[in-house]
Amino acid sequence: MSTDKAANEPDEFTNPTTAALQLVPRRLPTVMFAIALFAYLIAVTQRSSLGVAGVDAANRFDAGGAALSTLGVMQMAVYALMQIPVGMLLDRFGPRMLILAGAIGMALGQAVVAFAPTLEVAVLGRILVGIGDATTFVSGLRIIAAWFPQRRVPLMQQWFSNLGQIGQFLSAVPFAMLLHWSNWTVAFLSTAALSVIVAILVAVVLSDTPWKRTAGSRVSLRGAFVKLGDAFVRPGTRMGFWAHFSSQFVGTVFALLWGYPIMVQGLGLAKELAAVLLIVPMLVGMIAGPWIGLATARWPLRRSNIVVLLASLMTASWIGLIVWPGVPPLWYFLIVLVATGVCGPGSTIGFDFARTFNPASSYGSASGIVNIGGFTASAITMLLIGLGLDFGPQTAAGVPSWDAYQIALWAIPLMIVVGIGGLLAERRRTRSRLAAEEGVTVAPLWLAVARQLRRKHDN
């Protein structure tokens, strides 16, 4: 790759134009996307490996529901808390360095979990996993923004987000099989080795932009905080936060910690079937995500309506599960999993808000703010479910009954409603700012639909 900059190559802090990207070898963006995707896929594997190990962890560490939830809660809390510094570091050092550091951190964290003699040591390991995981997704989004034309970015973001969820399959099937056929230490050391492979690949091949191996803004600490503050005061960034908050956390809570116990302890499903069902939302999301990306690119002024529609659908499905008289049948639980999978990709729209309402030089800070949303909701929901289970009815064997899960799972619709409320409030501020600064007035959806129908009728 030439180090001489052509006249029409973009500044490293500016999203490249289509004309500038025509100078890049045709297959190189695909290679960079594939490496970033592999890094994220393995990060998801590390993140969700605890999901199928929840019952084993309870037995290994003799932990109850609230104590067990600390494994997932601490990981998610650290992930969320790291998003602000990660966003600032992303603007400062570029995505390649952060993905590399994250892979090393996750490898160390899973190794700690592998040998953990107590729950407290295992929590420390999962904290390291959370720190490493925190760097990967937003860094991959920056890679996409640097290597692809802007009209393709929303679609590529959906492919990135949803193909990365294949990591849930790796944890739900191969990892689960390895865990049950060998032992705890071998299984978690094997996942640690995957992150070592990522670190080597990123160090050798990945580049931040088509023109720079590592691109970052050489700003002072004070300047980094100024960028962060500028990103936060934009209502479009905060709208992205609530879009992510309301859409992402359900799939994370299900895959990372409580899905497997819900199915095995609550619904009484076989462990083998539960391990397979863990990947249903991921598979559905892979199908729905690209269509949501196309809709986002086609109707950019209606992105918030898409998020609200998806979040409302997910809320209705989970409430139906909770209020079902007795233990719900498998067919309805499958509907809930499909709804969760369809709605999950709506969270990626939050990053599109960050991209379009912020300059490229502060996209890392804005993305970090957005990414806090879903993982904050995840950590709170995990903890609420654990507390609900400990206070709910138990079976004779001391296992939470379905009645306990019905109480605990009200945390899910509660958090979605909070997220939708925040999104609608920030949407109002964002549209007011668009009208004042750019003269763009966004009519309510029902009025826009009525106008469109009237035009078709007149024609």
Side-chain angles (χ1 to χ4, degrees):
M1 191 184 308
S2 174
T3 57
D4 296 328
K5 215 174 188 182
N8 59 342
E9 289 178 5
D11 182 273
E12 64 176 280
F13 313 127
T14 305
N15 289 329
T17 63
T18 302
L21 286 173
Q22 290 177 347
L23 301 171
V24 179
R26 190 172 177 182
R27 295 183 180 179
L28 200 53
T30 303
V31 172
M32 296 301 137
F33 175 79
I35 295 172
L37 175 60
F38 179 65
Y40 178 52
L41 184 153
I42 298 304
V44 173
T45 302
Q46 311 291 25
R47 178 195 307 166
S48 56
S49 58
L50 187 62
V52 295
V55 175
D56 294 79
N59 295 330
R60 179 181 178 89
F61 301 118
D62 192 23
L68 181 60
S69 70
T70 59
L71 278 171
V73 168
M74 288 302 297
Q75 180 182 337
M76 288 297 96
V78 168
Y79 185 106
L81 291 172
M82 283 296 297
Q83 288 308 304
I84 294 298
V86 162
M88 297 167 67
L89 290 170
L90 179 57
D91 291 332
R92 176 68 173 81
F93 294 105
R96 174 177 168 269
M97 294 298 294
L98 264 69
I99 295 175
L100 177 60
I104 295 172
M106 284 184 281
L108 291 174
Q110 292 291 62
V112 170
V113 174
F115 293 106
T118 64
L119 180 64
E120 291 76 15
V121 177
V123 168
L124 175 61
R126 294 306 287 186
I127 288 174
L128 291 174
V129 171
I131 293 173
D133 183 20
T135 68
T136 309
F137 182 70
V138 293
S139 298
L141 294 180
R142 174 66 74 87
I143 294 289
I144 292 171
W147 283 91
F148 290 90
Q150 294 307 293
R151 61 182 174 79
R152 292 188 61 194
V153 168
L155 180 59
M156 297 307 295
Q157 286 177 337
Q158 287 290 350
W159 279 116
F160 179 73
S161 176
N162 290 286
L163 288 176
Q165 301 311 308
I166 293 174
Q168 292 186 28
F169 170 80
L170 295 180
S171 62
V173 180
F175 175 78
M177 294 170 63
L178 183 62
L179 179 64
H180 295 137
W181 288 349
S182 58
N183 57 57
W184 177 278
T185 301
V186 171
F188 278 95
L189 280 181
S190 298
T191 62
L194 293 175
S195 283
V196 173
I197 295 173
V198 169
I200 294 171
L201 191 60
V202 169
V204 173
V205 183
L206 190 65
S207 293
D208 282 351
T209 75
W211 298 280
K212 295 200 74 169
R213 177 90 161 127
T214 298
S217 173
R218 303 297 176 180
V219 297
S220 65
L221 181 62
R222 181 178 180 277
F225 276 102
V226 169
K227 279 188 177 184
L228 176 66
D230 289 343
F232 182 77
V233 299
R234 295 184 180 97
T237 304
R238 299 197 299 270
M239 186 164 63
F241 170 93
W242 289 112
H244 199 260
F245 184 104
S246 58
S247 304
Q248 185 268 356
F249 78 94
V250 181
T252 299
V253 169
F254 182 81
L256 183 63
L257 185 60
W258 289 118
Y260 196 75
I262 286 171
M263 291 184 285
V264 174
Q265 296 177 343
L267 300 178
L269 302 181
K271 292 182 178 180
E272 295 77 11
L273 177 60
V276 173
L277 291 181
L278 272 177
I279 67 173
V280 169
M282 177 268 293
L283 294 174
V284 174
M286 288 177 60
I287 297 171
W291 293 100
I292 293 173
L294 289 172
T296 302
R298 174 66 178 82
W299 298 291
L301 295 179
R302 299 297 171 188
R303 292 173 291 181
S304 61
N305 295 109
I306 297 173
V307 175
V308 171
L309 175 63
L310 294 173
S312 300
L313 173 63
M314 187 158 53
T315 303
S317 69
W318 278 92
I319 289 177
L321 183 76
I322 293 168
V323 302
W324 194 281
V327 178
L330 179 59
W331 65 265
Y332 184 77
F333 185 66
L334 287 173
I335 290 177
V336 175
L337 296 187
V338 170
T340 301
V342 169
C343 300
S347 63
T348 307
I349 297 175
F351 297 101
D352 207 49
F353 288 134
R355 179 180 65 89
T356 54
F357 286 106
N358 289 274
S361 59
S362 60
Y363 179 50
S365 297
S367 297
I369 293 170
V370 170
N371 213 22
I372 289 174
F375 290 96
T376 299
S378 297
I380 296 172
T381 306
M382 285 179 185
L383 181 59
L384 290 176
I385 291 176
L387 292 172
L389 292 178
D390 279 355
F391 284 103
Q394 309 285 313
T395 66
V399 175
S401 66
W402 175 244
D403 290 337
Y405 278 101
Q406 284 181 302
I407 296 171
L409 290 177
W410 275 108
I412 290 176
L414 172 65
M415 297 302 290
I416 297 176
V417 169
V418 170
I420 292 176
L423 172 62
L424 294 178
E426 293 301 337
R427 183 178 72 176
R428 184 167 57 252
R429 296 185 181 96
T430 301
R431 289 181 174 179
S432 296
R433 186 164 178 168
L434 276 175
E437 296 181 357
E438 302 182 28
V440 177
T441 301
V442 182
L445 180 61
W446 67 268
L447 182 57
V449 172
R451 289 174 178 172
Q452 186 68 22
L453 292 175
R454 188 161 50 247
R455 289 194 196 99
K456 289 184 177 180
H457 182 268
D458 293 341
N459 292 336

